[in-house]
Amino acid sequence: MDVRELHGQTGQVSISHGAIVIGAGSAGLAAAHALIEAGVPTVVLEKESRLAEPWHRRHEGLHLNTHRDLSALPGAGYPAGTPAFPHRTAVIRHLNDFSQAHNLPVEFGVIVEEVVFKGDHWIVQTNAGPRLARHVVVATGRDRQPFIPEWKGIKDFTGRIVHSADFGGARNYAGKKVLVVGAGNSGFDVLNHLAEIETRNIWLSARNGPSILPKRIGKIAVHRLSPFMARLPLRVADVAMAATQRIVFGDLTKFGLPKAPSGGASRLTADYTAIATDDGAVSAIKAGKIVVVPAVREFTRDGVILGNGKLIAPDIVIAATGYRAGLERMVGKLGVLDGKGVPLFNGGETDLKLPGLWFTGMRPSIRGCFANAGIQAKAIARQIVRRGR
């Protein structure tokens, strides 16, 4: 249903008492579903021309690191025979099936330029004109914009530099010298795939040690334990993760990986660093197929100088250096972003000075993005209904 109404022939846009959801990813679809179920008129604005566009663009070997039973949208599930860790194509189908099953009102090709507060309502400025509503839910995702640091000399480098989001197929790196920069979740996802092919060299440049867990311990999918872990105090969860990492992998500092600066759960909360998942990379590190090296200092025409002064000459550099939410233009003037551009509040939280503005899916969660999307969607809908819409 449309939350925009016109008064007569004046072209004046009226204020809807419903909600505008910005973004039709898992968080946006979950939010729209929860709001409509609660009786709140809702429309979803999506800049792409189809659902799940980021999943279409990700590399062909990508699987979720979260278990299928904890990676479904509210009330939905994956078809029988779906692997425990669904392939990206299964995720694409899941998002489309969920939207169609609930007849969610998604408008495609609508780019939101800015969200403006007007005291008792919000103006959402778009490429298709303004939309006015009492509530705006920003669900554009925390990985909206791939980020590559401006390393010294990077423009002089004659090799290839790609972000991990554009990894492509692992076979494209066969016979190449590859440097992966970043030992986080994206970095280990790339390394898990590279470990399966024959390359000339694989280096891992690690500035900080990872909080890393195995995908499975025996036949048990580790992520199945995430609801329990999420209920633990941060310090207890940190200890549990560190103990699991040490028991399963041993002392990884022996192979060059630095110590993690803090516990996995604490980093998830404090600096939004997701927990890495191993599916073969650690064995490759121990076997010497992947060589851990210091942080990148600068680039030259023919190579990369590391923090210890050593020069290596990769053909390809894969920057597993994270993402940015990219919300500065949309909401930057509202004072709701922290120093990293992440919203200061999320889910059912809000700023009393800016009533009606909500964010969802902007921070990583031990539970995973799909499970968290459902939790935050219900919290937002509950708060909107409580406030009388």
Side-chain angles (χ1 to χ4, degrees), residues 149-199:
E150 286 292 331
W151 286 295
K152 181 180 178 181
I154 191 171
K155 294 180 180 179
D156 299 324
F157 182 58
T158 56
R160 183 181 170 208
I161 301 175
V162 299
H163 192 273
S164 55
D166 302 313
F167 175 62
R171 62 181 177 273
N172 296 332
Y173 300 86
K176 303 293 186 180
K177 296 181 291 181
V178 185
L179 170 64
V180 178
V181 183
N185 184 46
S186 296
F188 267 87
D189 176 63
V190 166
L191 293 169
N192 289 333
H193 292 285
L194 291 178
E196 298 178 351
I197 64 169
E198 292 298 323
T199 59

Side-chain angles (χ1 to χ4, degrees), residues 55-325:
W55 292 97
H56 282 280
R57 292 197 293 258
R58 294 295 172 86
H59 67 86
E60 60 190 40
L62 181 66
H63 285 75
L64 291 178
N65 286 334
T66 54
H67 193 275
R68 63 169 180 258
D69 294 345
L70 299 170
S71 303
L73 290 169
Y78 288 88
T82 301
F85 298 95
H87 186 260
R88 66 178 180 87
T89 54
V91 176
I92 292 169
R93 285 195 300 272
H94 181 69
L95 294 173
N96 279 277
D97 289 347
F98 182 83
S99 179
Q100 292 169 12
H102 297 290
N103 195 27
L104 296 182
V106 181
E107 296 185 20
F108 293 101
V110 181
I111 301 171
V112 174
E113 297 160 352
E114 188 176 8
V115 177
V116 181
F117 186 48
K118 287 298 182 181
D120 65 343
H121 68 278
W122 292 89
I123 300 177
V124 178
Q125 301 285 6
T126 80
N127 62 332
R131 306 290 184 95
L132 279 62
R134 299 292 184 192
H135 296 274
V136 174
V137 182
V138 181
T140 49
R142 68 185 191 90
D143 55 356
R144 190 180 183 202
Q145 296 178 349
F147 172 74
I148 298 179
E150 286 292 331
W151 286 295
K152 181 180 178 181
I154 191 171
K155 294 180 180 179
D156 299 324
F157 182 58
T158 56
R160 183 181 170 208
I161 301 175
V162 299
H163 192 273
S164 55
D166 302 313
F167 175 62
R171 62 181 177 273
N172 296 332
Y173 300 86
K176 303 293 186 180
K177 296 181 291 181
V178 185
L179 170 64
V180 178
V181 183
N185 184 46
S186 296
F188 267 87
D189 176 63
V190 166
L191 293 169
N192 289 333
H193 292 285
L194 291 178
E196 298 178 351
I197 64 169
E198 292 298 323
T199 59
R200 287 182 62 189
N201 297 95
I202 305 174
W203 296 283
L204 166 61
S205 173
R207 184 179 60 182
N208 294 312
S211 294
I212 182 168
L213 294 173
K215 183 167 279 191
R216 295 181 183 274
I217 298 178
K219 294 183 178 181
I220 300 174
V222 173
H223 184 250
R224 295 294 295 270
L225 303 175
S226 66
F228 168 74
M229 295 291 290
R231 290 192 291 268
L232 295 175
L234 283 181
R235 290 184 179 180
V236 178
D238 286 343
V239 170
M241 289 184 196
T244 302
Q245 179 173 323
R246 184 65 178 249
I247 291 169
V248 175
F249 302 126
D251 183 5
L252 294 179
T253 63
K254 294 179 179 179
F255 303 93
L257 279 170
K259 290 183 178 181
S262 59
S266 293
R267 292 186 70 189
L268 199 70
T269 302
D271 60 14
Y272 321 123
T273 300
I275 298 161
T277 301
D278 173 64
D279 194 20
V282 170
S283 293
I285 290 172
K286 291 182 175 181
K289 181 173 182 177
I290 298 172
V291 177
V292 181
V293 297
V296 170
R297 191 173 81 189
E298 63 182 283
F299 281 72
T300 69
R301 181 181 181 277
D302 301 314
V304 177
I305 300 175
L306 304 170
N308 60 2
K310 181 180 178 180
L311 175 69
I312 59 175
D315 302 310
I316 305 171
V317 175
I318 301 174
T321 45
Y323 299 81
R324 297 293 183 267

Side-chain angles (χ1 to χ4, degrees), residues 3-4 7 13-21 35 40-43 115-124 131-138 350-358 380 383-385 387-389:
V3 298
R4 183 178 60 180
H7 284 164
V13 183
S14 70
I15 303 170
S16 165
H17 289 278
I20 295 172
V21 176
L35 288 166
V40 180
T42 302
V43 66
V115 177
V116 181
F117 186 48
K118 287 298 182 181
D120 65 343
H121 68 278
W122 292 89
I123 300 177
V124 178
R131 306 290 184 95
L132 279 62
R134 299 292 184 192
H135 296 274
V136 174
V137 182
V138 181
T350 190
D351 185 333
L352 295 178
K353 300 187 298 294
L354 299 169
L357 179 64
W358 311 89
I380 292 171
Q383 291 295 334
I384 289 177
V385 171
R387 286 166 169 74
R389 302 178 191 172

